[in-house]
């Protein structure tokens, strides 16, 4: 994905520029693209990508100034909350051995955004990009729930097919909706550098719904995953629970991918859960630890990107990986002492 | 004395896949307190028959009848069907036995009821309550899963090769524990087992299934073992009655 470092305030957007950037919400459609591209594209002059021209390293003062203006607050909050919720959801994704489902659904969401733009450009029918992302993500999830055994193929092949089809489709459709190739990724996925207020609201809303459903269905998800046949005999709606879980993944992934990009979303949905499951011996604690690791990866990753001038999404993913690398030897020591 | 009504009955039940029956029709009735053993060689259709009885697979023909709408069934599938990746304590696994009839409008909350520790104690694994399930030995895992059965309020428990990974001592202990559950809780038990000595000792009903010879034969274990079809299929006399000493070597 395309990504960028956060701009330090010496080169940051003025309030007027911010207004211009956020005023043109991508959600409004391709007509808003030029101003939105300012907000989301790494090469945009307003984001000050020419690092050589910069005087000194970014400072806390600059960051706090940008925070007060809302430039950094929203993406940091978005990264923290997306990391937290995806961390929790990721525990179930990893336990279901379906980590690449997240990647495939994310790509499908990107295709949905592209199609939404294409529909508006071609037929002048306004389609909310997030709506397109949701529809395609849910469709991909429904296809993934097909029983591949009947086709004498392993389930992974379907994940690969969806990933491939959605990726190719997004690029082909994107070619018709963007003038420059570097615009496509930011239009489809966002960049985590700046987050539009609408996207932040959607991330919060989808996250709260996801957490609420997990809280209500926790015991059902647990039994249905650990021993699905035993659960069915106990009259649990195992199939409905499975569909609900993957619907949550589709919604959360499509909304967060739109806001912060595919790479950090995939990282948050997999890596914190891996670290947590390596570290603790109880699912409920794994959920807490994964939420903490995910949230920290989102927040600290942004700070790391700001102060060391790295791309945000990649920094957040790297932070998550660092947590995992720290946790693995600790888990080994803990297992050794327990044995 | 009149027999109690059956908890579960198969009526001309044919089981199989994609509309193709793999076994002849089976008629049998399972009553409270009975200990059924389903025997047969690998691939003989035992698991398919069990899953159809439990409603996990649709019947090809015939029907499965339950004595009452609120009949509680519990199932202990083959070990490979249980996902040991899940980080759960032994007590968490037992707690699942109480999770019955979950629905979206009536989800479960709340803490751990006292039955969990009672069941762990009953199975002699109370000391393992806070141990990770995946780190237990095979025998310990089965005891924890038996504790899950114990708390499940089941009228009928179905177990698919629960002793397959056990040595002879652990296997004898497992059958003894199951027999204790049956007697204490009035539970009907249906167990798939390859250990004919244990079947002969503990079961009071046996069902021989064989896909290759299209056999479905039920009755008292001694009668089934004496049948020509059993003799031909297993090509040897059934082992002698197991004794406690036998299990200790």
């Amino acid at each position: 994905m395309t990504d960028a470092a956060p701009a330090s305030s010496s080169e940051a957007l003025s309030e007027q520029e911010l207004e211009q950037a956020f005023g043109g919400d991508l959600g409004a459609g391709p007509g808003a693209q030029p101003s939105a591209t300012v907000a989301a594209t790494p090469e945009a002059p307003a984001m000050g990508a020419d690092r050589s021209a910069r005087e000194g390293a970014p400072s806390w003062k600059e960051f706090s100034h940008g925070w007060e203006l809302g430039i950094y607050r929203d993406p940091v909050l978005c990264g923290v909350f997306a990391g937290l919720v995806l961390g929790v959801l990721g525990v179930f994704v990893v336990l279901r051995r379906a980590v690449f489902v997240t990647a495939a659904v994310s790509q499908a969401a990107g295709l949905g955004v592209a199609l939404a733009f294409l529909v508006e450009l071609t037929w002048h029918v306004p389609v909310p990009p997030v709506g397109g992302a949701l529809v395609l993500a849910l469709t991909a999830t429904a296809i993934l729930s097909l029983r591949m055994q009947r086709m004498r193929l392993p389930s992974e092949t379907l994940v690969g097919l969806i990933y491939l089809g959605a990726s190719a489709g997004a690029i082909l459709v994107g070619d018709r909706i963007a003038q420059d190739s570097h615009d496509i990724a930011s239009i489809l996925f966002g960049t985590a550098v700046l987050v539009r207020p609408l996207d932040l609201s959607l991330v919060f809303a989808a996250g709260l719904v996801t957490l609420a459903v997990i809280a209500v269905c926790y015991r059902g998800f647990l039994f249905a995953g650990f021993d699905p046949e035993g659960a069915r005999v106990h009259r649990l709606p195992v199939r409905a629970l499975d569909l609900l879980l993957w619907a949550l993944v589709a919604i959360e992934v499509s909304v967060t991918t739109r806001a912060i990009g595919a790479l950090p979303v995939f990282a948050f949905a997999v890596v914190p859960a891996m670290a947590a499951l390596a570290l603790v011996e109880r699912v409920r604690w794994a959920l807490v630890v994964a939420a903490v690791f995910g949230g920290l990866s989102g927040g600290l990753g942004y700070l790391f990107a700001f102060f060391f001038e790295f791309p945000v999404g990649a920094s957040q993913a790297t932070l998550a990986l660092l947590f995992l690398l720290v946790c693995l030897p600790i888990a080994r020591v803990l297992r050794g002492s327990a044995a | 004395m009149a027999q109690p009504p059956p908890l579960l009955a198969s009526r001309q039940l044919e089981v199989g896949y994609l509309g193709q029956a793999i076994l002849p029709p089976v008629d049998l009735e399972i009553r409270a307190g009975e200990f059924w053993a389903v025997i047969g060689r690998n691939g003989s259709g035992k698991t398919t028959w069990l899953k159809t009885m439990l409603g996990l697979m649709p019947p090809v023909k015939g029907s499965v009848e339950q004595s009452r709408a609120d009949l509680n069934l519990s199932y202990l599938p083959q070990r490979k069907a249980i996902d040991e990746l899940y980080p759960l304590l032994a007590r968490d696994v037992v707690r699942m036995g109480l999770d019955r009839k979950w629905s979206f409008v009536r989800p479960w909350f709340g803490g751990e009821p006292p039955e969990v520790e009672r069941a762990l104690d009953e199975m002699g694994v109370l000391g393992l309550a806070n141990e990770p399930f995946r780190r237990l030995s095979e025998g310990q895992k089965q005891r924890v899963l038996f504790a899950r059965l114990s708390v499940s309020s089941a009228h009928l428990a179905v177990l698919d090769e629960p002793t397959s990974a056990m040595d002879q001592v652990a296997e004898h202990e497992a059958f003894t524990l199951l027999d204790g559950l049956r007697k204490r809780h009035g539970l009907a038990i249906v167990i798939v087992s390859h250990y004919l000595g244990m079947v002969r000792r503990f079961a009071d009903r046996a069902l021989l299934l064989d896909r290759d010879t299209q056999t479905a034969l039920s009755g008292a274990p001694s009668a089934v073992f004496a049948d020509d079809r059993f003799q031909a299929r297993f090509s040897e006399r059934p082992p002698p009655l197991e004794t406690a000493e036998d299990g200790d070597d």
Side-chain angles (χ1 to χ4, degrees), chain A:
Chain A
M1 61 162 263
T2 309
D3 206 349
S8 61
S9 71
S10 58
E11 56 182 324
L13 305 166
S14 66
E15 288 191 53
Q16 188 182 359
E17 287 168 327
L18 259 179
E19 196 175 307
Q20 182 191 12
F22 286 126
D25 189 351
L26 272 176
Q33 187 181 321
S35 59
T37 307
V38 170
T41 306
E43 288 79 4
M47 296 301 288
D50 184 5
R51 291 174 189 169
S52 62
R54 207 171 277 162
E55 292 177 9
S59 66
W60 271 110
K61 189 180 171 187
E62 290 170 331
F63 184 81
S64 61
H65 178 59
W67 179 276
E68 285 165 10
L69 289 176
I71 306 171
Y72 307 133
R73 185 195 57 220
D74 287 1
V76 168
L77 290 178
C78 191
V80 168
F81 198 64
L84 186 152
V85 177
L86 285 165
V88 171
L89 202 52
V91 170
F92 292 101
V93 170
V94 172
L95 285 173
R96 298 291 182 105
R97 295 171 170 82
V99 293
F100 286 106
V101 167
T102 317
V105 171
S106 172
Q107 290 299 320
L111 175 59
V113 174
L115 287 172
F117 282 126
L118 188 67
V119 167
E120 183 165 354
L121 274 174
T122 310
W123 292 290
H124 306 290
V125 177
V127 179
V130 171
L134 269 173
V135 168
L136 263 286
L138 287 168
T139 304
T141 308
I143 295 171
L144 285 169
S145 69
L146 290 174
R147 294 182 183 177
M148 291 302 286
Q149 291 84 349
R150 289 190 182 178
M151 300 181 210
R152 297 171 189 265
L153 287 171
S155 303
E156 289 80 7
T157 55
L158 196 53
V159 177
L161 280 176
I162 288 179
Y163 183 86
L164 190 65
S167 303
I171 292 170
L172 289 176
V173 176
D175 190 59
R176 290 289 177 271
I177 59 171
Q179 296 299 317
D180 302 310
S181 59
H182 67 248
D183 286 345
I184 296 170
S186 55
I187 288 171
L188 299 187
F189 298 124
T191 64
V193 178
L194 292 173
V195 172
R196 288 153 300 183
L198 172 67
D199 283 338
L200 181 63
S201 303
L202 287 171
V203 166
F204 273 119
L208 289 174
V209 168
T210 300
L211 292 177
V213 172
I214 287 176
V216 171
C217 299
Y218 170 72
R219 297 201 64 81
F221 286 147
L222 203 60
F223 199 176
F226 175 69
D227 178 6
E229 290 180 334
R232 280 180 64 193
V233 172
H234 274 219
R235 299 185 192 173
L236 267 74
V238 172
R239 187 100 176 114
L241 283 165
D242 286 350
L243 287 175
L244 178 63
L245 179 61
W246 297 121
L248 287 180
V249 170
I251 292 166
E252 184 63 19
V253 165
S254 57
V255 169
T256 51
T257 298
R258 178 85 183 103
I260 64 172
L263 179 63
V265 167
F266 184 50
F268 293 157
V270 174
V271 185
M274 287 171 66
L277 289 167
L279 211 54
V280 300
E281 290 286 3
R282 217 167 182 189
V283 176
R284 64 178 68 164
W285 286 114
L287 296 174
V288 173
V289 172
V292 171
F293 284 167
L296 286 175
S297 301
L300 295 179
Y302 195 93
L303 292 179
F304 180 81
F306 176 84
F307 287 108
F308 295 97
E309 298 175 277
F310 280 116
V312 176
S315 299
Q316 290 169 325
T318 304
L319 256 286
L321 284 170
L322 283 176
F323 278 120
L324 176 64
L325 290 177
V326 170
C327 285
L328 289 178
I330 294 173
R332 177 170 282 208
V333 170
L334 288 175
R335 275 199 299 271
S337 62

Side-chain angles (χ1 to χ4, degrees), chain B residues 63-98:
Chain B
S63 62
V64 178
E65 293 175 5
Q66 294 191 2
S67 61
R68 48 202 249 208
D70 64 343
L71 181 71
N72 285 343
L73 304 173
S74 277
Y75 180 45
L76 201 54
Q78 291 184 11
R79 292 299 310 285
K80 63 184 178 190
I82 290 180
D83 192 343
E84 296 194 5
L85 186 65
Y86 276 69
L88 295 166
L89 303 184
R91 66 188 330 133
D92 296 331
V93 174
V94 178
R95 173 75 175 80
M96 286 178 186
L98 294 159

